[in-house]
């Protein structure tokens, strides 16, 4: 990230706003490195936004130049990892089935969504679609105005197949909300997206086969 | 003959898919290769292991699309979100969880479900018959990736991403760092102090950036 410009980090994960140094309240920090609790015991903290390609040796010495981390011990260093995903817009139908082999569905990050939440959500849909199909129940398509619907519509057709990249859920994937006169602030607009999504989602749940109560 | 749904990969997607299908009355077999075969990021044999950050991101279901996804999964009786809620940690507006307790809870719920079977086999080729969901994630084993590649041609891809370092809390100098969530966000004291902050002066920042840019990259 630093390669994009010397100031990129200071306006991104290291921005100092909304924070007051408890030890020296009068000194406004120029930048702040934040660590987020990583387990219930509070024994591990991850460095927010510090995904890095630095080699392990270099990484330890660079991270220890951060004030407060001079003697830090690391439970895991940052690193690069593989991310496998298929070109869903060309390979999958709207039911997340492989067009060439409809007995096979794909779900999760391998379909080109990104993140724990998005992956779980695509699993939820794929599980329901598969079960409905196999038990002869009908499941209407989840509306594109919902977060799940917007994501699945994106990967199975909405996205440009030539430039397809893993996608996080965001309001840009939703069909626009109609502005009802006057200028809407961003807060109102987001609220309109989520209000519409919730109503449509509950409606969809009501139309579909009913899952037995969780055990 | 009773139909069986086979799910390859018991991660976030596979675990949730299994739960949903089983709750609709369908027998499900989860094929999860861990702990027999590992990946470089997973550490356990638990289902739904979180490999990096312990956060499910924003839980704001009015102003944030991820928070909305949480809401929809709750409405649909999602297993992942239920267990995330149960093992939530203070994180100032984000849904962060105790990763080990969370993964164990998902694992136990699936093992306890009468219609769910979990096997620890790696699936190495795309099956020709039967009903399958492939949910093998970003670290799909090389053999299966090869098989997917073979039937999809150059349309399937692999690429690289980066993960953040994790620090042992007791090695952080709290005479320099302090606990506070940005804008003191959060309802409880724990939420308002969920983050540890390390301050930098301008000089410290500039030399940090120099060191970053000079460091060896992989
Ligand atoms: C659709 C698809 C088609 C493919 N087709 C082909 C093909 O035709 N031919 C072919 O040869 N291959 C193919 N592959 C395989 C692909 O190219 C592999 O991703 C590649 O071989 C990289 O494997 P790797 O083990 O080096 O990388 P990774 O598994 O990503 O790991 C890199 C190495 O670094 C280490 N490492 C990285 N980060 C960390 C960390 N934080 N902590 C500890 N260790 C770390 C790991 O232990 C590992 O050894 C295909 C893959 C896909 C998804
Ligand atoms: C290093 C790294 C860091 C990440 N950091 C974050 C983060 O901070 N926040 C975030 O939201 N997301 C993060 N992600 C993405 C996140 O891990 C995924 O979005 C999510 O886990 C995907 O869910 P999934 O079910 O698709 O895959 P996974 O959760 O990875 O589950 C796939 C499962 O399939 C199994 N499997 C693979 N191949 C086979 C096979 N051939 N046979 C049987 N089983 C198999 C694996 O063992 C695994 O259990 C990260 C990913 C990686 C790799």
């Amino acid at each position: 990230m630093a390669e994009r410009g010397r100031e990129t980090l200071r306006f991104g994960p290291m921005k100092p706003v909304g924070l007051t140094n408890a030890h020296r309240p009068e000194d406004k920090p120029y930048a702040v490195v934040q660590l987020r609790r990583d387990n219930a015991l509070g024994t591990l903290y991850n460095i927010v936004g510090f995904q890095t390609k630095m080699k392990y040796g270099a990484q330890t010495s660079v991270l220890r130049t951060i004030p407060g981390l001079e003697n830090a011990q690391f439970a895991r260093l940052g690193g690069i990892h593989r991310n496998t995903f298929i070109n869903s817009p060309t390979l999958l139908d709207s039911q997340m089935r492989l067009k060439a082999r409809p007995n096979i569905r794909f779900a999760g990050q391998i379909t080109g969504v990104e993140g724990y939440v998005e992956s779980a959500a695509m699993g939820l849909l794929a599980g329901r679609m598969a079960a409905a199909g196999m038990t002869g129940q009908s499941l209407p398509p989840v509306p594109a105005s919902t977060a799940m619907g917007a994501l699945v519509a994106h990967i199975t057709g909405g996205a440009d197949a030539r430039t397809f990249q893993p996608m996080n859920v965001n309001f840009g994937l939703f069909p626009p909300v109609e502005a009802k006169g006057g200028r809407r602030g961003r807060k109102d607009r987001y609220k309109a997206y989520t209000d519409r999504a919730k109503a449509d989602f509950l409606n969809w749940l009501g139309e579909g086969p009913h899952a037995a109560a969780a055990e | 003959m009773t139909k069986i749904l086979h799910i390859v990969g018991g991660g976030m997607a596979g675990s949730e898919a299994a739960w949903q299908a089983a709750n609709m009355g369908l027998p499900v077999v989860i094929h999860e290769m861990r702990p027999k075969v590992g990946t470089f990021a997973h550490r356990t044999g638990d289902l739904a292991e979180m490999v990096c950050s312990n956060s499910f991101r924003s839980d704001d279901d009015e102003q944030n699309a991820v928070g909305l996804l949480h809401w929809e999964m709750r409405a649909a009786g999602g297993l992942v979100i239920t267990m995330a809620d149960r093992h939530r940690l203070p994180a100032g507006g984000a849904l962060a969880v105790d990763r080990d307790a969370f993964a164990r809870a998902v694992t136990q719920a699936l093992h306890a479900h009468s219609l769910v079977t979990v096997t620890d086999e790696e699936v190495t080729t795309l099956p020709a018959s039967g009903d399958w969901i492939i949910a093998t994630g970003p670290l799909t084993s090389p053999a299966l990736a090869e098989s997917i590649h073979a039937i999809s041609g150059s349309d399937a891809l692999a690429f690289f991403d980066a993960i953040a370092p994790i620090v042992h809390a007791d090695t952080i100098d709290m005479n320099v760092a302090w606990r506070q969530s940005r804008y003191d966000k959060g309802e409880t004291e724990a939420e308002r102090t969920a983050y540890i902050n390390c301050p930098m002066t301008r000089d410290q920042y500039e030399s940090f950036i120099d060191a970053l840019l000079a460091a060896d990259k992989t």
Side-chain angles (χ1 to χ4, degrees):
Chain A
M1 208 185 273
E3 279 158 4
R4 278 188 243 143
R6 300 186 64 89
E7 294 291 282
T8 310
L9 282 168
R10 212 167 69 80
F11 288 99
M14 291 175 67
K15 63 177 181 282
V17 299
L19 295 168
T20 309
N21 188 333
H23 306 292
R24 314 174 60 164
E26 65 291 348
D27 284 355
K28 180 104 193 95
Y30 188 71
V32 172
V33 174
Q34 280 205 306
L35 296 97
R36 183 197 293 122
R37 191 157 150 168
D38 203 73
N39 60 350
L41 293 173
T43 54
L44 294 177
Y45 275 74
N46 57 66
I47 313 186
V48 178
F50 269 55
Q51 293 80 359
T52 175
K53 288 189 292 189
M54 273 185 289
K55 285 202 170 141
Y56 287 178
Q59 205 177 126
T60 307
S61 52
V62 171
L63 293 175
R64 287 191 181 142
T65 68
I66 296 170
L69 300 188
E70 292 86 352
N71 298 306
Q73 296 291 333
F74 296 91
R76 179 192 249 166
L77 286 166
I80 57 163
H81 68 83
R82 206 174 74 218
N83 189 356
T84 302
F85 65 100
I86 59 168
N87 194 285
S88 294
T90 50
L91 296 177
L92 301 185
D93 69 12
S94 64
Q95 285 264 316
M96 302 167 78
R97 284 178 300 221
L98 201 53
K99 288 176 191 162
R101 301 250 196 110
N103 65 314
I104 297 174
R105 272 192 170 75
F106 278 79
Q109 186 146 326
I110 197 169
T111 62
V113 297
E114 171 95 41
Y116 305 134
V117 183
E118 288 84 346
S119 298
M122 293 302 94
L124 190 152
L125 278 185
R128 286 188 173 224
M129 287 171 174
M134 291 169 67
T135 57
Q137 307 172 70
S138 80
L139 181 71
V142 58
S145 54
T146 65
M148 281 190 209
L151 258 183
V152 76
H154 175 77
I155 59 171
T156 62
D160 184 340
R162 288 165 306 177
T163 57
F164 189 59
Q165 284 294 320
M167 183 54 87
N168 283 128
V169 69
N170 65 81
F171 291 122
L173 303 177
F174 291 58
V177 280
E178 303 113 57
K180 289 197 195 100
R183 289 215 329 240
R184 287 199 124 131
R186 200 168 65 171
K187 269 194 114 154
D188 291 344
R189 206 169 64 243
Y190 289 169
K191 179 78 165 46
Y193 275 116
T194 56
D195 283 346
R196 179 181 67 177
K198 289 173 186 174
D200 292 353
F201 193 77
L202 289 179
N203 192 38
W204 175 74
L205 280 179
E207 287 172 351
H210 294 277
E215 302 206 338
Chain B
M1 197 185 78
T2 325
K3 289 184 177 171
I4 296 173
L5 175 62
H6 294 271
I7 298 179
V8 188
M12 296 295 156
S15 298
E16 188 64 60
W19 182 252
Q20 297 290 327
N23 281 344
M24 286 168 70
L26 199 66
V28 177
V29 178
I30 300 174
H31 304 257
E32 169 53 61
M33 67 180 183
R34 289 178 296 114
K36 259 195 205 159
V37 179
T39 78
F40 81 84
H42 292 88
R43 295 173 301 119
T44 73
D46 290 340
L47 302 175
E49 177 178 337
M50 302 172 89
V51 293
C52 179
S53 149
N54 65 325
S55 170
F56 287 96
R57 318 211 306 277
S58 171
D59 199 31
D60 179 349
D61 60 54
E62 293 196 346
Q63 294 290 321
N64 188 289
V66 178
L68 175 62
L69 215 38
H70 295 173
W71 186 96
E72 292 178 5
M73 291 199 287
R74 286 183 186 112
L79 176 63
V80 166
I81 197 76
T82 300
M83 295 311 176
D85 285 338
R86 197 169 291 173
H87 296 286
R88 180 173 197 137
L89 297 176
L95 175 51
V97 306
D98 180 327
R99 68 178 72 225
D100 292 329
F102 162 78
R104 276 197 304 266
V106 171
T107 306
Q108 279 161 9
L110 287 167
H111 278 282
H113 199 297
S114 58
L115 290 175
V116 178
T117 309
V118 183
T119 74
D120 57 1
E121 296 302 322
E122 177 189 1
V123 172
T124 53
T125 53
L126 274 185
S129 61
D131 293 285
W132 293 79
I133 295 177
I134 309 295
T136 45
L139 304 175
T140 295
S141 72
L144 184 62
E146 203 55 60
S147 169
I148 295 169
H149 191 232
I151 76 149
S152 59
S154 57
D155 288 317
L157 305 162
F159 87 114
F160 293 84
D161 260 352
I163 64 177
I166 298 180
V167 181
H168 291 286
D170 58 1
T171 64
I172 302 173
D173 183 354
M174 294 309 291
N175 293 318
V176 175
W178 74 97
R179 293 174 190 276
Q180 183 190 11
S181 292
R182 213 181 279 285
Y183 300 113
D184 300 302
K185 239 179 141 168
E187 316 245 299
T188 63
E189 186 58 17
E191 296 272 358
R192 285 188 293 272
T193 56
Y195 290 80
I196 292 179
N197 301 278
C198 301
M200 281 191 186
T201 62
R202 180 171 194 148
D203 284 349
Q204 286 169 329
Y205 179 77
E206 296 297 344
S207 44
F208 176 71
I209 297 293
D210 287 337
L212 266 188
L213 293 174
D216 283 345
K217 314 283 192 308
T218 48

